[in-house]
Amino acid sequence: MSLPRVILRPHRPEAASVAVMGVLTCIVAGGLVLRLLAYGIPAGCFGPAGASCIDRQHDMNAYFDTVGVWGFVASAMITVLPAVSGVLFGIALVGKELDQGTTTFAWSIAPSRRRWLLQRVVPIGIAILVLGLLVGAIADVVAFMQEPATDPNGSLAKLGVRGPVIGAETIAYFGLALLVGSVVGRILPALLLAIVLVVPAFVGVTLLTDAFLSHETVLTYGVDGGVPGRVVDSLIESPDGEVLTWQQAYDRYGEAAMESVDGPGGTFRTVLRINPPELYPIAVARMFILYSALGLVAIVLSVAVVDRRRP
Amino acid sequence: MDLIVTAGLSKRYRRTTALRDLTVTLPAGGVTALVGPNGAGKSTLLKLCVGFERPTAGRIAVLGIDPDRDRAGAVAKVGYVPQSPSLYRDLNANEHLELARSIRPGFDAAHARARLQVLGIPLRARPRELSGGQQAQLSLAVALGTRAALLLLDEPLANLDPLARREFLQVVTDEIRRGDASAVLSSHVISDVEPVCDRLLVLGEGRVLLHDTVDGAIAAHRVTERTDAHGSSLVALFPDRYGVLHCLVRTDAGDTAPEDGRTPTLEEVVLGYLASARGADAVPSSPPEVAA
């Protein structure tokens, strides 16, 4: 009899729930991708040369209708899955055992509660990390299919809800739920509190990432949608090369300035403040580190709580 | 080495005091019955021994180790059976042993398995498929598998039928007589533990009321039917099951020791000390009927 089996068996309901949800997510996302591929629309039709694909207009409309409906469903499931798997397993490992009294059995035998906890946290943590990474990879494919005209990596689109970040996100929610379960020791209150904490964790990391990105911009000429990268702000360049906000330009030069922007012979030009496309891997790595750090800190705190609390 | 040594040990919860300034030394060997009514502090004392609770004041040492400072060291030396079996409902008996082996270095799963097989407890059965007695036996088998020098048994008989109680106690005594282990067995029913215990520690309202060997406790007391006994020899008046008052007195109390009376049963000794802890509450307000 293998040790993982003995360790995982008490958590079969959680494993089954996550497995069912994971399979459903894969079916919906995979089905969406296959359906979109089945339209057989050449990639060039989605780009600037799209006008030459006028005969495929009907298929393209159907393509975007499908994206509109099933893309939303798939994205929602992909967003929820890491939270569900992290929270369910996080609560199960300590909170549920405290609630059901099995910690009395385990902790009276185990000289080291740390060893007892890590014996569970490590394999389950690795399993849900792998699940999160898999879901993140699927989310990447879905994002590319949803926005075929642009490179989602280059535009930093859906940052944090696709790619390897989802794996780290799962660990963060797992750690938070583990900590809440260790402190509260009751399934339902811990579950509710963990769900409540997931939201500020997600918002906090997103805001922190945005704060970093807002200082990592470059200026480029062009219009929104016409340049690679993530547009942070749209500005205006005056004839003497000064970059102003639109309000500043209006106040200083009046309505005439607005009318001659980017026009033939115009002296004012639109300038975009963007995060360059090369920033994508850095932004992803940063989010991955933030979520992982959050999760690891919560796990370390859980170990400390388990070490001190009564069963 | 002494099993348990406490000095000024107190444990206070928010509104209640479970143990008050408890100073006692339990020597190694045999079975010590930890007796007292509900709320006497028996479970708290055992939980302090295994590091599940921390003392509010005073100190405790289990086989020379302070569980508050070195819980791992203390847990490594004890096998604990809780009041109600806290088994995993999704694991069968054999899987409980495997789990124990994974978290307890040196756990003797074969020994525990052998105990279960002797008792005819199916290894593939989950707790819900086992009777209360079998669940208690499974908990005991796990505790025995630890090969600990000290078994702490926290009212394991409370929910068992008479036959299951007897079987449980038989396993405990077999193990103690066979090996070097000692046991502390708590109960609020003295008749349950009387056949197997060598020593007696009576707790009442968080204090030690009596600590002696069983033989010593019986020899040191007499029961008289004279309810006017007084002086330092008087332990307490206590009613028997019919409400008849008896008087427990000490025979080693010097000049006030009575010469009449009979040898008490262990239950009467315990009842007398429990009545002494309750003071006047133990004596009925109506005029007592003196035993013939």
Side-chain angles (χ1 to χ4, degrees):
Chain A
M1 184 185 314
S2 66
L3 179 60
R5 192 179 154 204
V6 173
I7 290 171
L8 285 173
R9 194 154 198 175
H11 309 303
R12 223 167 23 173
E14 292 80 12
S17 307
V18 171
V20 167
M21 198 165 168
V23 168
L24 280 176
T25 304
C26 289
I27 288 172
V28 171
L32 172 67
V33 170
L34 291 175
R35 180 72 192 98
L36 296 178
L37 288 173
Y39 287 114
I41 300 169
C45 292
F46 295 109
S52 62
C53 299
I54 196 74
D55 56 323
R56 303 300 306 273
Q57 199 58 49
H58 178 74
D59 284 343
M60 288 175 72
N61 289 341
Y63 182 102
F64 284 111
D65 284 347
T66 307
V67 165
V69 176
W70 288 103
F72 172 77
V73 175
S75 298
M77 292 178 80
I78 287 166
T79 307
V80 168
L81 183 61
V84 168
S85 56
V87 167
L88 277 186
F89 276 114
I91 298 293
L93 284 198
V94 180
K96 189 175 91 169
E97 294 226 14
L98 284 166
D99 201 6
Q100 296 182 346
T102 46
T103 45
T104 302
F105 175 86
W107 294 357
S108 67
I109 304 167
S112 170
R113 290 186 191 175
R114 287 181 195 186
R115 183 178 165 182
W116 171 83
L117 182 60
L118 292 178
Q119 221 175 39
R120 283 147 184 74
V121 165
V122 171
I124 290 177
I126 289 172
I128 62 168
L129 173 65
V130 169
L131 176 70
L133 292 173
L134 181 69
V135 170
I138 293 170
D140 262 343
V141 176
V142 170
F144 274 87
M145 301 294 285
Q146 282 179 298
E147 297 188 32
T150 58
D151 171 14
N153 286 358
S155 65
L156 277 70
K158 300 191 173 182
L159 189 63
V161 290
R162 66 186 178 90
V165 174
I166 290 189
E169 222 178 311
T170 310
I171 291 298
Y173 301 151
F174 172 67
L176 281 175
L178 188 72
L179 178 59
V180 171
S182 305
V183 172
V184 176
R186 290 277 182 272
I187 296 174
L188 192 58
L191 195 60
L192 294 174
L193 187 56
I195 290 169
V196 167
L197 286 179
V198 159
V199 177
F202 178 79
V203 172
V205 170
T206 304
L207 289 178
L208 207 54
T209 302
D210 283 347
F212 279 118
L213 288 174
S214 68
H215 293 98
E216 295 168 332
T217 56
V218 293
L219 295 176
T220 185
Y221 295 111
V223 291
D224 193 358
V227 294
R230 173 174 175 256
V231 176
V232 176
D233 203 358
S234 175
L235 303 165
I236 190 165
E237 187 186 62
S238 68
D240 51 2
E242 191 180 3
V243 177
L244 306 165
T245 65
W246 287 78
Q247 186 62 48
Q248 286 170 331
Y250 183 83
D251 293 343
R252 193 178 298 177
Y253 299 102
E255 205 163 339
M258 305 295 116
E259 288 169 358
S260 65
V261 173
D262 297 329
T267 50
F268 290 89
R269 297 173 75 184
T270 301
V271 179
L272 296 176
R273 197 151 64 86
I274 64 163
N275 294 128
E278 348 25 300
L279 207 57
Y280 178 72
I282 296 168
V284 167
R286 192 184 288 136
M287 289 190 93
F288 192 93
I289 290 168
L290 283 172
Y291 276 124
S292 301
L294 180 65
L296 290 176
V297 166
I299 289 170
V300 168
L301 289 174
S302 306
V303 172
V305 171
V306 162
D307 224 19
R308 282 162 180 75
R309 72 160 295 150
R310 62 175 69 135
Chain B
M1 183 177 288
D2 293 323
L3 292 182
I4 300 170
V5 178
T6 70
L9 184 68
S10 296
K11 177 63 188 177
R12 187 173 172 77
Y13 297 101
R14 280 179 193 167
R15 290 178 185 170
T16 54
T17 301
L19 293 174
R20 298 166 200 267
D21 198 24
L22 194 78
T23 299
V24 69
T25 298
L26 296 186
V31 178
T32 300
L34 181 58
V35 183
N38 293 326
K42 306 184 297 295
S43 290
T44 302
L45 179 59
L46 297 185
K47 285 176 182 172
L48 284 161
C49 289
V50 79
F52 283 0
E53 299 284 357
R54 309 182 79 171
T56 310
R59 299 192 63 178
I60 181 169
V62 178
L63 294 165
I65 296 171
D66 182 346
D68 191 32
R69 296 183 182 183
D70 180 12
R71 192 190 55 231
V75 169
K77 295 211 167 196
V78 303
Y80 175 71
V81 177
Q83 203 161 356
S84 53
S86 49
L87 302 168
Y88 288 84
R89 61 185 178 199
D90 292 314
L91 296 185
N92 64 34
N94 200 39
E95 287 165 341
H96 275 89
L97 304 186
E98 290 300 320
L99 181 67
R101 193 164 66 171
S102 74
I103 55 180
R104 174 87 170 208
F107 182 80
D108 191 347
H111 178 61
R113 203 172 284 124
R115 297 286 349 159
L116 295 177
Q117 284 169 338
V118 164
L119 294 164
I121 295 174
L123 292 173
R124 291 188 164 275
R126 294 184 188 178
R128 65 170 175 270
E129 297 161 345
L130 298 174
S131 67
Q134 288 175 319
Q135 289 184 29
Q137 288 286 6
L138 174 55
S139 293
L140 178 61
V142 172
L144 296 177
T146 62
R147 293 288 194 183
L150 171 60
L151 291 175
L152 300 172
L153 312 172
D154 187 3
E155 299 204 37
L157 310 174
N159 301 316
L160 305 188
D161 62 55
L163 187 60
R165 288 179 191 202
R166 185 173 296 180
E167 283 179 348
F168 187 97
L169 291 173
Q170 190 60 51
V171 173
V172 172
T173 44
D174 284 353
E175 194 72 16
I176 299 299
R177 306 285 179 249
R178 187 181 305 156
D180 300 327
S182 307
V184 176
L185 171 60
S186 88
S187 177
H188 58 270
V189 183
I190 186 63
S191 56
D192 280 347
V193 294
E194 186 175 4
V196 299
C197 65
D198 307 294
R199 298 189 69 82
L200 183 69
L201 175 61
V202 183
L203 293 183
E205 301 187 358
R207 293 191 179 89
V208 175
L209 302 178
L210 176 67
H211 178 215
D212 205 342
T213 61
V214 169
D215 293 340
I218 291 172
H221 296 88
R222 304 286 288 175
V223 170
T224 74
E225 316 309 339
R226 288 170 45 203
T227 55
D228 58 345
H230 64 280
S232 58
S233 66
L234 173 66
V235 176
L237 292 174
F238 66 94
D240 65 15
R241 68 184 63 179
Y242 304 109
V244 178
L245 277 183
H246 301 276
C247 184
L248 183 72
V249 293
R250 292 196 67 92
T251 57
D252 56 357
D255 55 349
T256 60
E259 293 173 358
D260 61 340
R262 59 175 170 80
T263 301
T265 63
L266 190 62
E267 187 168 12
E268 286 173 325
V269 173
V270 172
L271 278 175
Y273 276 90
L274 295 182
S276 74
R278 290 190 183 177
D281 295 346
V283 183
S285 54
S286 56
E289 180 187 346
V290 178

